[in-house]
Amino acid sequence: MESLDNKVLIAGGSGFIGKNLIEFLGQMKYQVDTLSLRHLDWPKKMNENWSVIINLIGKAHDHAGEATEEDYYLVNFEYTKLLFTEFLNSKAKLFIHISSIAAVEEYGTKDKLVEGSTCHPISFYGKSKFAAEKWLLEQQLPYGKQLVILRPPMVHGKGDKGNLGLLYKFIAKGIPYPLTAYENQRSFISIQNFNFFIEQIIKNHTELKLNLYHISDDEALSTKEIIEVISKTLNKKPFNLKVPKIFVNTIAKIGDIIPIPLNSKRLKKMTGNLILINDKLKKDLRITKLPLTAKEGIEKTILTFSESYK
């Protein structure tokens, strides 16, 4: 690896994914630094001798329910435009933009999602992510510059604060999980597999035939399978409760009004089918096997929860 090729600048590295990716790339002997658009002189750092720019800047969660459409578009769309424009003027060769499967589907579909699937985002988050993708793909790339857009599903791992943590808490406390009446399968990606894909792209980006790819674990999992993995990891007997769907839907509607752990949006995300196909990226990178299976990834994440929730 040439000296220039191991210099990676990560924008938005303070979040869960960024912290894990920085640690991983450091272990793999990459020279990594971070950039924040909150600093007025951030374009100066872009002009340093970087080879790869990774854009992790994004606004996803709004637990307080106060974010506006403008807030999402500012972070997910306008900041991406600013960063990519500076990339075009920099010495960097590769721009990796982390989008989201929410740009395609958010709550669920019976169809398996491929790169050419029709996009119909619903939330401000999904719409702003899709707008950024569309704008990036419309830009002219000078010779020697390359753009790669990645659409992951839910990423989980050390430091994750998503829905997987909610499921863990149910089981760890011995509370019956009330959503087992729903038969669904969803794709996830462990942070270990996410980091692996990123490094493979950095090392072999000239082999890529597309500008946009789906990334995920190889297997989709049902809620029942996830519960089994968590219960086994915690050495607890799963205690599932098949609450009638009509009752769960009523509770979720109440959650739309008052702050309880379940609301309509969260229910849709937790019970709908959302299956990604990652074949195109694996084929271009000649990947035959990911570091972890989906179940192994869940197990590793649950072990980190066991430490952080003590």
Side-chain angles (χ1 to χ4, degrees):
M1 183 182 298
E2 298 177 5
S3 59
L4 180 62
D5 290 334
N6 72 348
K7 293 172 69 75
V8 179
L9 182 64
I10 297 178
S14 62
F16 143 67
I17 295 177
K19 289 177 180 177
N20 280 277
L21 182 59
I22 291 167
E23 181 180 357
F24 171 78
L25 292 177
Q27 292 172 349
M28 302 303 291
K29 308 304 180 185
Y30 286 84
Q31 181 179 333
V32 186
D33 201 352
T34 60
L35 176 148
S36 172
L37 267 64
R38 293 187 181 92
H39 299 153
L40 295 179
D41 62 345
W42 67 266
K44 292 182 180 179
K45 182 170 281 191
M46 290 283 290
N47 290 325
E48 296 175 10
N49 207 24
W50 303 107
S51 178
V52 181
I53 309 294
I54 301 176
N55 181 24
L56 288 174
I57 295 173
K59 179 173 183 57
H61 302 295
D62 177 31
H63 299 298
E66 298 174 350
T68 65
E69 182 177 8
E70 289 73 18
D71 294 330
Y72 281 97
Y73 272 83
L74 174 64
V75 177
N76 296 334
F77 181 50
E78 297 297 342
Y79 284 1
T80 295
K81 290 167 62 177
L82 287 173
L83 197 65
F84 189 76
T85 300
E86 290 298 329
F87 160 74
L88 295 179
N89 297 321
S90 73
K91 297 177 182 178
K93 298 180 293 186
L94 174 63
F95 188 92
I96 302 175
H97 174 70
I98 308 303
S99 184
S100 169
I101 199 60
V104 187
E105 283 284 349
E106 299 191 58
Y107 299 127
T109 175
K110 294 181 180 179
D111 299 324
K112 293 182 179 180
L113 301 177
V114 297
E115 286 79 355
S117 295
T118 302
C119 298
H120 41 82
I122 298 171
S123 67
F124 294 150
Y125 171 67
K127 289 178 179 179
S128 58
K129 281 291 190 180
F130 176 67
E133 287 185 7
K134 186 173 183 294
W135 183 87
L136 286 170
L137 292 170
E138 290 171 348
Q139 304 312 300
Q140 286 289 105
L141 285 170
Y143 177 79
K145 300 277 188 180
Q146 188 173 2
L147 165 68
V148 177
I149 300 172
L150 300 178
R151 287 175 177 162
M154 188 190 86
V155 185
H156 62 84
K158 182 180 179 181
D160 171 33
K161 297 181 180 179
N163 287 335
L164 190 59
L166 178 63
L167 185 53
Y168 167 86
K169 290 177 182 178
F170 267 99
I171 298 170
K173 294 178 180 179
I175 302 172
Y177 186 69
L179 305 182
T180 53
Y182 296 85
E183 298 290 338
N184 68 307
Q185 284 199 323
R186 296 182 76 87
S187 291
F188 301 91
I189 185 166
S190 67
I191 192 64
Q192 292 86 357
N193 286 343
F194 179 92
N195 291 340
F196 173 77
F197 272 122
I198 294 293
E199 197 211 1
Q200 290 299 307
I201 291 169
I202 293 173
K203 289 167 62 177
N204 303 298
H205 58 92
T206 57
E207 302 296 320
L208 299 180
K209 297 178 176 61
L210 302 175
N211 294 117
L212 186 151
Y213 290 96
H214 287 181
I215 60 171
S216 67
D217 295 333
D218 285 334
E219 312 87 7
L221 295 176
S222 67
T223 301
K224 180 181 178 182
E225 289 174 306
I226 296 173
I227 290 173
E228 289 173 352
V229 173
I230 297 174
S231 299
K232 182 179 179 181
T233 304
L234 296 176
N235 196 26
K236 287 180 175 287
K237 185 177 180 179
F239 185 13
N240 299 329
L241 185 64
K242 285 194 174 183
V243 179
K245 292 181 181 180
I246 189 170
F247 181 77
V248 175
N249 292 335
T250 301
I251 296 298
K253 289 179 181 178
I254 295 173
D256 295 337
I257 302 171
I258 61 176
I260 60 176
L262 190 66
N263 56 42
S264 295
K265 289 183 178 179
R266 176 165 272 183
L267 177 63
K268 288 179 181 178
K269 287 187 176 182
M270 295 176 74
T271 60
N273 291 310
L274 196 67
I275 302 175
L276 281 68
I277 304 299
N278 63 10
D279 290 354
K280 289 186 177 179
L281 183 57
K282 288 177 63 182
K283 181 180 178 181
D284 285 357
L285 294 175
R286 298 185 179 90
I287 295 171
T288 58
K289 185 179 179 181
L290 296 179
L292 298 176
T293 66
K295 288 185 178 180
E296 289 169 343
I298 294 287
E299 181 178 348
K300 284 187 175 292
T301 296
I302 295 308
L303 289 172
T304 68
F305 286 172
S306 299
E307 293 296 322
S308 60
Y309 288 134
K310 278 184 177 181

